[in-house]
Amino acid sequence: MTTQKPPTPARSALRALKKELTDHTDFAKFHILKPTHHLVDAWIAKLATGSELDLVSDVDSVILRLKSFKAKARRALPIANGGFQGEEAAVWKQALAQADITVSQLDGTDVWGFSSSAAEGYDTEDDALNAALQAHPEIVAKVLPAPEPIDPEDALRKLLFNAHGRLRGVSLSKASGKRGAVITANAVRNAAGAKFKPSSFVLATKDFHAQYARVVKLISDHHGVEVSSPLHAEMLGTAAAYLSHYGLSLQTTSIPTTRVLLGQKPI
């Protein structure tokens, strides 16, 4: 028979801390639960072995890593999301200075602001710098290159074709005991964000290219592609890629035509 040791006050306090973190909605919102839970669980395990390590230093290590991560994230993120959109802070400071806008600490305080921010204050220089950039999009426009114009046909191609050259939204349901293979045109969004109801067509005993053409027509209509356009012909040309992707092959068959006469057997 084994008995468990009663929890030490430290372990009990750490478990209470973990519960507090779980119940704290702000922590859940900002995705801090996982690293903090990991720390607490690691500490509880170390305490169980009688460890005398400085566990609080683990928090300092996490903070240092987060600070480094924050600096890299700040540079990568768009200005609208608190970042510097790929540029160094010094580049933005110089651009603002050329417009007589400076970022500095408010007199006698630890609060930061910029020269056109009136009484608003920010916790850090980077926060104030980002706020200044959001307040002066005309300065940002002078530094960042204008985005390349989007070719409407290129944008449409991205909606129609995937990276492998297949038509988006076209899938296969393999044959089962109850039915043959089925080709389906799925609900792919068009440029307006609209979908259409998926439609399926049986492939067994049917001409594959005729069924594939029906699918292409549905998708063409959905995206506003004219049947007479070269793009529609290119869409039809994806049939081979579809067959290859699903490991299908075509066979030439001859199915005799039958007529059913009243009271007679098919002939």
PDB file of all heavy atoms in Angstrom, residues 166-172 183-186 188 212 215-216 219 238 242 245-246:
ATOM      1  N   ARG A 166      -4.881  22.696 -60.709  1.00  0.00           N
ATOM      2  CA  ARG A 166      -6.216  22.095 -60.763  1.00  0.00           C
ATOM      3  C   ARG A 166      -7.280  23.152 -60.495  1.00  0.00           C
ATOM      4  O   ARG A 166      -7.009  24.191 -59.915  1.00  0.00           O
ATOM      5  CB  ARG A 166      -6.347  20.966 -59.736  1.00  0.00           C
ATOM      6  CG  ARG A 166      -5.381  19.811 -59.973  1.00  0.00           C
ATOM      7  CD  ARG A 166      -5.766  18.594 -59.135  1.00  0.00           C
ATOM      8  NE  ARG A 166      -5.866  18.907 -57.722  1.00  0.00           N
ATOM      9  CZ  ARG A 166      -4.849  18.915 -56.876  1.00  0.00           C
ATOM     10  NH1 ARG A 166      -3.628  18.641 -57.305  1.00  0.00           N
ATOM     11  NH2 ARG A 166      -5.019  19.201 -55.601  1.00  0.00           N
ATOM     12  N   LEU A 167      -8.487  22.839 -60.902  1.00  0.00           N
ATOM     13  CA  LEU A 167      -9.604  23.739 -60.694  1.00  0.00           C
ATOM     14  C   LEU A 167     -10.034  23.665 -59.227  1.00  0.00           C
ATOM     15  O   LEU A 167     -10.252  22.573 -58.684  1.00  0.00           O
ATOM     16  CB  LEU A 167     -10.760  23.336 -61.614  1.00  0.00           C
ATOM     17  CG  LEU A 167     -11.819  24.370 -61.947  1.00  0.00           C
ATOM     18  CD1 LEU A 167     -11.202  25.606 -62.575  1.00  0.00           C
ATOM     19  CD2 LEU A 167     -12.872  23.760 -62.871  1.00  0.00           C
ATOM     20  N   ARG A 168     -10.147  24.810 -58.585  1.00  0.00           N
ATOM     21  CA  ARG A 168     -10.553  24.822 -57.176  1.00  0.00           C
ATOM     22  C   ARG A 168     -12.009  24.364 -57.032  1.00  0.00           C
ATOM     23  O   ARG A 168     -12.855  24.684 -57.849  1.00  0.00           O
ATOM     24  CB  ARG A 168     -10.425  26.234 -56.599  1.00  0.00           C
ATOM     25  CG  ARG A 168      -8.988  26.704 -56.416  1.00  0.00           C
ATOM     26  CD  ARG A 168      -8.966  28.018 -55.648  1.00  0.00           C
ATOM     27  NE  ARG A 168      -7.635  28.569 -55.549  1.00  0.00           N
ATOM     28  CZ  ARG A 168      -6.720  28.210 -54.658  1.00  0.00           C
ATOM     29  NH1 ARG A 168      -7.024  27.274 -53.771  1.00  0.00           N
ATOM     30  NH2 ARG A 168      -5.534  28.781 -54.633  1.00  0.00           N
ATOM     31  N   GLY A 169     -12.253  23.644 -55.933  1.00  0.00           N
ATOM     32  CA  GLY A 169     -13.622  23.280 -55.599  1.00  0.00           C
ATOM     33  C   GLY A 169     -14.150  22.056 -56.311  1.00  0.00           C
ATOM     34  O   GLY A 169     -15.326  21.738 -56.181  1.00  0.00           O
ATOM     35  N   VAL A 170     -13.298  21.362 -57.086  1.00  0.00           N
ATOM     36  CA  VAL A 170     -13.745  20.157 -57.787  1.00  0.00           C
ATOM     37  C   VAL A 170     -13.182  18.943 -57.061  1.00  0.00           C
ATOM     38  O   VAL A 170     -11.969  18.797 -56.933  1.00  0.00           O
ATOM     39  CB  VAL A 170     -13.288  20.159 -59.259  1.00  0.00           C
ATOM     40  CG1 VAL A 170     -13.846  18.932 -59.973  1.00  0.00           C
ATOM     41  CG2 VAL A 170     -13.746  21.422 -59.954  1.00  0.00           C
ATOM     42  N   SER A 171     -14.056  18.091 -56.579  1.00  0.00           N
ATOM     43  CA  SER A 171     -13.606  16.940 -55.783  1.00  0.00           C
ATOM     44  C   SER A 171     -14.197  15.648 -56.328  1.00  0.00           C
ATOM     45  O   SER A 171     -15.035  15.657 -57.243  1.00  0.00           O
ATOM     46  CB  SER A 171     -14.014  17.124 -54.314  1.00  0.00           C
ATOM     47  OG  SER A 171     -15.434  17.225 -54.208  1.00  0.00           O
ATOM     48  N   LEU A 172     -13.772  14.541 -55.757  1.00  0.00           N
ATOM     49  CA  LEU A 172     -14.224  13.216 -56.179  1.00  0.00           C
ATOM     50  C   LEU A 172     -14.685  12.425 -54.967  1.00  0.00           C
ATOM     51  O   LEU A 172     -14.018  12.403 -53.936  1.00  0.00           O
ATOM     52  CB  LEU A 172     -13.082  12.455 -56.864  1.00  0.00           C
ATOM     53  CG  LEU A 172     -13.373  10.983 -57.202  1.00  0.00           C
ATOM     54  CD1 LEU A 172     -14.295  10.883 -58.408  1.00  0.00           C
ATOM     55  CD2 LEU A 172     -12.079  10.213 -57.466  1.00  0.00           C
ATOM     56  N   ILE A 183     -18.397  13.167 -59.224  1.00  0.00           N
ATOM     57  CA  ILE A 183     -17.615  14.403 -59.276  1.00  0.00           C
ATOM     58  C   ILE A 183     -18.485  15.534 -58.737  1.00  0.00           C
ATOM     59  O   ILE A 183     -19.682  15.607 -59.034  1.00  0.00           O
ATOM     60  CB  ILE A 183     -17.137  14.714 -60.715  1.00  0.00           C
ATOM     61  CG1 ILE A 183     -16.212  15.939 -60.704  1.00  0.00           C
ATOM     62  CG2 ILE A 183     -18.310  14.913 -61.665  1.00  0.00           C
ATOM     63  CD1 ILE A 183     -15.548  16.208 -62.058  1.00  0.00           C
ATOM     64  N   THR A 184     -17.885  16.379 -57.912  1.00  0.00           N
ATOM     65  CA  THR A 184     -18.658  17.430 -57.239  1.00  0.00           C
ATOM     66  C   THR A 184     -18.027  18.795 -57.438  1.00  0.00           C
ATOM     67  O   THR A 184     -16.809  18.945 -57.330  1.00  0.00           O
ATOM     68  CB  THR A 184     -18.754  17.148 -55.725  1.00  0.00           C
ATOM     69  OG1 THR A 184     -19.402  15.896 -55.517  1.00  0.00           O
ATOM     70  CG2 THR A 184     -19.547  18.238 -55.000  1.00  0.00           C
ATOM     71  N   ALA A 185     -18.865  19.776 -57.722  1.00  0.00           N
ATOM     72  CA  ALA A 185     -18.451  21.181 -57.731  1.00  0.00           C
ATOM     73  C   ALA A 185     -18.833  21.753 -56.384  1.00  0.00           C
ATOM     74  O   ALA A 185     -20.023  21.877 -56.061  1.00  0.00           O
ATOM     75  CB  ALA A 185     -19.152  21.945 -58.854  1.00  0.00           C
ATOM     76  N   ASN A 186     -17.830  22.079 -55.560  1.00  0.00           N
ATOM     77  CA  ASN A 186     -18.082  22.556 -54.203  1.00  0.00           C
ATOM     78  C   ASN A 186     -18.319  24.061 -54.160  1.00  0.00           C
ATOM     79  O   ASN A 186     -18.083  24.775 -55.133  1.00  0.00           O
ATOM     80  CB  ASN A 186     -16.898  22.197 -53.299  1.00  0.00           C
ATOM     81  CG  ASN A 186     -16.741  20.692 -53.168  1.00  0.00           C
ATOM     82  OD1 ASN A 186     -17.636  20.008 -52.725  1.00  0.00           O
ATOM     83  ND2 ASN A 186     -15.600  20.178 -53.593  1.00  0.00           N
ATOM     84  N   VAL A 188     -17.192  27.209 -53.708  1.00  0.00           N
ATOM     85  CA  VAL A 188     -16.020  28.082 -53.635  1.00  0.00           C
ATOM     86  C   VAL A 188     -16.477  29.527 -53.744  1.00  0.00           C
ATOM     87  O   VAL A 188     -17.308  29.872 -54.578  1.00  0.00           O
ATOM     88  CB  VAL A 188     -15.038  27.750 -54.785  1.00  0.00           C
ATOM     89  CG1 VAL A 188     -13.849  28.687 -54.761  1.00  0.00           C
ATOM     90  CG2 VAL A 188     -14.571  26.311 -54.660  1.00  0.00           C
ATOM     91  N   TYR A 212     -17.396  16.565 -66.661  1.00  0.00           N
ATOM     92  CA  TYR A 212     -16.440  17.571 -66.201  1.00  0.00           C
ATOM     93  C   TYR A 212     -16.813  18.939 -66.766  1.00  0.00           C
ATOM     94  O   TYR A 212     -16.695  19.966 -66.075  1.00  0.00           O
ATOM     95  CB  TYR A 212     -15.018  17.192 -66.634  1.00  0.00           C
ATOM     96  CG  TYR A 212     -13.941  17.952 -65.879  1.00  0.00           C
ATOM     97  CD1 TYR A 212     -13.553  17.558 -64.607  1.00  0.00           C
ATOM     98  CD2 TYR A 212     -13.317  19.059 -66.448  1.00  0.00           C
ATOM     99  CE1 TYR A 212     -12.573  18.244 -63.904  1.00  0.00           C
ATOM    100  CE2 TYR A 212     -12.335  19.753 -65.756  1.00  0.00           C
ATOM    101  CZ  TYR A 212     -11.976  19.347 -64.488  1.00  0.00           C
ATOM    102  OH  TYR A 212     -11.004  20.048 -63.799  1.00  0.00           O
ATOM    103  N   VAL A 215     -19.424  20.578 -64.638  1.00  0.00           N
ATOM    104  CA  VAL A 215     -18.835  21.167 -63.440  1.00  0.00           C
ATOM    105  C   VAL A 215     -18.162  22.494 -63.773  1.00  0.00           C
ATOM    106  O   VAL A 215     -18.334  23.495 -63.065  1.00  0.00           O
ATOM    107  CB  VAL A 215     -17.820  20.184 -62.810  1.00  0.00           C
ATOM    108  CG1 VAL A 215     -16.993  20.886 -61.736  1.00  0.00           C
ATOM    109  CG2 VAL A 215     -18.539  18.987 -62.223  1.00  0.00           C
ATOM    110  N   VAL A 216     -17.398  22.507 -64.854  1.00  0.00           N
ATOM    111  CA  VAL A 216     -16.706  23.730 -65.270  1.00  0.00           C
ATOM    112  C   VAL A 216     -17.708  24.834 -65.567  1.00  0.00           C
ATOM    113  O   VAL A 216     -17.492  25.998 -65.216  1.00  0.00           O
ATOM    114  CB  VAL A 216     -15.816  23.453 -66.500  1.00  0.00           C
ATOM    115  CG1 VAL A 216     -15.303  24.763 -67.100  1.00  0.00           C
ATOM    116  CG2 VAL A 216     -14.647  22.569 -66.119  1.00  0.00           C
ATOM    117  N   ILE A 219     -18.913  26.427 -62.318  1.00  0.00           N
ATOM    118  CA  ILE A 219     -17.897  27.283 -61.713  1.00  0.00           C
ATOM    119  C   ILE A 219     -17.681  28.538 -62.552  1.00  0.00           C
ATOM    120  O   ILE A 219     -17.505  29.636 -62.025  1.00  0.00           O
ATOM    121  CB  ILE A 219     -16.581  26.495 -61.521  1.00  0.00           C
ATOM    122  CG1 ILE A 219     -16.820  25.332 -60.546  1.00  0.00           C
ATOM    123  CG2 ILE A 219     -15.471  27.400 -61.015  1.00  0.00           C
ATOM    124  CD1 ILE A 219     -15.636  24.423 -60.369  1.00  0.00           C
ATOM    125  N   THR A 238      -8.155  21.495 -67.410  1.00  0.00           N
ATOM    126  CA  THR A 238      -7.675  20.952 -66.128  1.00  0.00           C
ATOM    127  C   THR A 238      -8.177  19.528 -65.887  1.00  0.00           C
ATOM    128  O   THR A 238      -7.878  18.936 -64.856  1.00  0.00           O
ATOM    129  CB  THR A 238      -8.125  21.845 -64.955  1.00  0.00           C
ATOM    130  OG1 THR A 238      -9.559  21.911 -64.932  1.00  0.00           O
ATOM    131  CG2 THR A 238      -7.561  23.255 -65.090  1.00  0.00           C
ATOM    132  N   TYR A 242      -7.047  16.729 -63.001  1.00  0.00           N
ATOM    133  CA  TYR A 242      -8.019  16.137 -62.073  1.00  0.00           C
ATOM    134  C   TYR A 242      -7.879  14.617 -62.066  1.00  0.00           C
ATOM    135  O   TYR A 242      -7.821  13.981 -61.008  1.00  0.00           O
ATOM    136  CB  TYR A 242      -9.429  16.552 -62.497  1.00  0.00           C
ATOM    137  CG  TYR A 242     -10.542  15.921 -61.698  1.00  0.00           C
ATOM    138  CD1 TYR A 242     -10.988  16.487 -60.511  1.00  0.00           C
ATOM    139  CD2 TYR A 242     -11.168  14.754 -62.141  1.00  0.00           C
ATOM    140  CE1 TYR A 242     -12.020  15.906 -59.774  1.00  0.00           C
ATOM    141  CE2 TYR A 242     -12.196  14.166 -61.419  1.00  0.00           C
ATOM    142  CZ  TYR A 242     -12.614  14.744 -60.240  1.00  0.00           C
ATOM    143  OH  TYR A 242     -13.632  14.167 -59.520  1.00  0.00           O
ATOM    144  N   HIS A 245      -4.606  13.604 -60.348  1.00  0.00           N
ATOM    145  CA  HIS A 245      -4.620  13.826 -58.901  1.00  0.00           C
ATOM    146  C   HIS A 245      -5.326  12.684 -58.170  1.00  0.00           C
ATOM    147  O   HIS A 245      -4.878  12.250 -57.106  1.00  0.00           O
ATOM    148  CB  HIS A 245      -5.300  15.156 -58.599  1.00  0.00           C
ATOM    149  CG  HIS A 245      -5.459  15.437 -57.135  1.00  0.00           C
ATOM    150  ND1 HIS A 245      -4.391  15.690 -56.297  1.00  0.00           N
ATOM    151  CD2 HIS A 245      -6.573  15.482 -56.337  1.00  0.00           C
ATOM    152  CE1 HIS A 245      -4.832  15.902 -55.066  1.00  0.00           C
ATOM    153  NE2 HIS A 245      -6.146  15.765 -55.071  1.00  0.00           N
ATOM    154  N   TYR A 246      -6.430  12.197 -58.753  1.00  0.00           N
ATOM    155  CA  TYR A 246      -7.200  11.149 -58.081  1.00  0.00           C
ATOM    156  C   TYR A 246      -6.833   9.743 -58.573  1.00  0.00           C
ATOM    157  O   TYR A 246      -7.473   8.764 -58.191  1.00  0.00           O
ATOM    158  CB  TYR A 246      -8.695  11.402 -58.273  1.00  0.00           C
ATOM    159  CG  TYR A 246      -9.205  12.561 -57.448  1.00  0.00           C
ATOM    160  CD1 TYR A 246      -9.531  13.766 -58.046  1.00  0.00           C
ATOM    161  CD2 TYR A 246      -9.323  12.454 -56.065  1.00  0.00           C
ATOM    162  CE1 TYR A 246      -9.991  14.838 -57.290  1.00  0.00           C
ATOM    163  CE2 TYR A 246      -9.774  13.517 -55.293  1.00  0.00           C
ATOM    164  CZ  TYR A 246     -10.105  14.706 -55.918  1.00  0.00           C
ATOM    165  OH  TYR A 246     -10.546  15.764 -55.157  1.00  0.00           O
TER     166      TYR A 246
END
